[in-house]
Amino acid sequence: MTPHTASTRTAASGGGAHPAVPAVSAPSPHTRGGRPARSGLGPSWFAAVMGTGIVANAAVTLPHRPPGLRAGATAVWVVAALLLVGLTTGYGRGRALRLHAADPMQVQFFGAPAVALLTVAAGALQLGPPVIGARAALTLGWALWSLGTLLGCVTACTVPYLMITKHSFAPDAAFGGWLLPVVPPLVSAATGALLVPHTPAGEPRLALLLGCCAMFGLGLLAVLLVLSMVYSRMVHHAAPTGATVPTVWIGLGALSQAVTGLSLLAGAVPGVLSGSYARGAAVLALVGGVGLWGFALLWLALASALTVREFRAGLPFSPAWWSFIFPLGAYVTATGAVGARSGSQVFGWAAAVLYAVLIAAWIAVAGRSLHHATARNGGWSRA
């Protein structure tokens, strides 16, 4: 979702200057046999799947849907699924997993493939049946959710461990990319809630619901912990610049996923737990969801202001721009969820306006990405 730096194993500077972040196409400094090792396709490019998939999924949550929107969203979901296949194949051929795991910045983006899998899984469940059939869509949803959840939970546990035991960071090293390893469990919780009604009644359904609640807690508390570090870094050191600025938006996506997850989990409780729990979950989804939505609005204002500031200074295109798309799409789904649960027309129309902005941003970033990949003669493989 964002470019990687050469390394964060640097000494803290007295002035607290923000470490430079080169373009995604800059290779990792690892060497093999005295020559630079080819790192291959970077995991950050899976943010393109995330951003494309959320454009499709967000359309389903809108309370006001013009004719043809669902058909268009389905087509976009197909594009996201094909892109996932292409990137997965390309990344597997690159055999750069160990190199990226050893890189203190590239390892942060291991969360992106997991979220990409989960985003396409959600699209399969909501948009896939008319295209591939209800049974095939459910099977695909289960497979992608299981793989994405496993990968996401491994990433959420492994990357922080590597950060603590293997990598060293300067006091001003924290940035939005640190959220990516811990966000996948939040997405798993939201997508898993869609699978609860399709799970055999009794213990299997209860286990899935409680497992999703546990992943929700894991993700939300970890996100809040990292957000505090990112905010502290921005306040105590120089303001983020260059390709680091788009990563600030990842905080918006994480908070928005929490709002969406609360709503979907509350909708899955009836029929699994007793009526009192269902009523309590509904109250928590509305009151807690609106509270988190307000926090996300604050983060949106902060990220927007920093982005406008950087655009005025001159922010050249890089694949880090995909950091704008998924978070904005997640905020659309969060706004739509709050509107649907509360019955508020204000939230409903706000979701529609935000979706229009999302479409425009996605078209711009997708177009620039295609130009970037073509102009650099295989820039995707060098990302």
Side-chain angles (χ1 to χ4, degrees):
M1 180 172 285
T2 155
H4 63 276
T5 62
S7 173
T8 53
R9 194 174 290 274
T10 57
S13 60
H18 183 75
V21 183
V24 172
S25 57
S28 179
H30 296 286
T31 60
R32 182 180 299 157
R35 294 177 299 174
R38 183 180 178 84
S39 61
L41 183 70
S44 59
W45 269 112
F46 281 87
V49 180
M50 296 165 52
T52 303
I54 200 66
V55 168
N57 298 344
V60 181
T61 67
L62 295 176
H64 310 288
R65 283 174 257 175
L69 179 61
R70 187 176 184 88
T74 302
V76 173
W77 169 72
V78 172
V79 171
L82 294 175
L83 187 57
L84 175 63
V85 173
L87 288 175
T88 302
T89 302
Y91 189 67
R93 288 177 178 174
R95 299 180 181 179
L97 182 63
R98 290 186 178 181
L99 282 177
H100 292 157
D103 188 305
M105 293 305 289
Q106 282 281 20
V107 73
Q108 304 299 328
F109 308 119
F110 279 0
V115 178
L117 288 165
L118 295 166
T119 304
V120 176
L125 296 171
Q126 300 176 101
L127 298 166
V131 180
I132 59 177
R135 184 172 182 178
L138 181 59
T139 301
L140 179 61
W142 268 112
L144 293 176
W145 179 82
S146 300
L147 183 58
T149 296
L150 176 62
L151 179 60
C153 288
V154 169
T155 300
C157 297
T158 302
V159 174
Y161 175 79
L162 292 175
M163 293 173 69
I164 294 170
T165 62
K166 301 295 184 181
H167 303 145
S168 297
F169 297 92
D172 61 347
F175 75 117
W178 284 15
L179 289 162
L180 271 177
V182 297
V183 163
L186 274 178
V187 187
S188 288
T191 307
L194 298 174
L195 290 167
V196 169
H198 303 286
T199 306
E203 191 63 31
R205 188 175 296 181
L206 177 61
L208 177 59
L209 177 63
L210 295 181
C212 288
C213 291
M215 287 188 290
F216 178 87
L218 185 163
L220 178 59
L221 293 179
V223 161
L224 294 177
L225 177 65
V226 177
L227 275 177
S228 66
M229 291 190 286
V230 174
Y231 182 77
S232 176
R233 177 257 170 269
M234 291 192 296
V235 170
H236 291 105
H237 300 278
T241 58
T244 308
V245 172
T247 69
V248 178
W249 288 75
I250 301 176
L252 173 67
L255 293 169
S256 300
Q257 275 297 313
V259 177
T260 304
L262 271 177
S263 182
L264 291 175
L265 287 171
V269 169
V272 182
L273 297 174
S274 64
S276 59
Y277 287 106
R279 290 189 294 271
V283 171
L284 178 62
L286 179 57
V287 178
V290 172
L292 285 171
W293 185 92
F295 186 17
L297 180 61
L298 168 64
W299 205 265
L300 172 62
L302 177 62
S304 299
L306 290 171
T307 301
V308 170
R309 174 179 179 270
E310 193 59 22
F311 266 114
R312 288 178 175 176
L315 179 62
F317 173 79
S318 76
W321 282 25
W322 280 106
S323 297
F324 297 131
I325 307 303
F326 183 85
L328 184 58
Y331 198 56
V332 173
T333 66
T335 305
V338 171
R341 188 159 291 279
S342 65
S344 169
Q345 291 295 317
V346 174
F347 278 94
W349 285 110
V353 172
L354 287 168
Y355 188 72
V357 176
L358 172 66
I359 290 293
W362 174 69
I363 292 174
V365 174
R368 296 293 296 271
S369 296
L370 288 174
H371 176 73
H372 172 85
T374 303
R376 296 184 68 87
N377 188 26
W380 287 77
S381 65
R382 291 157 51 187

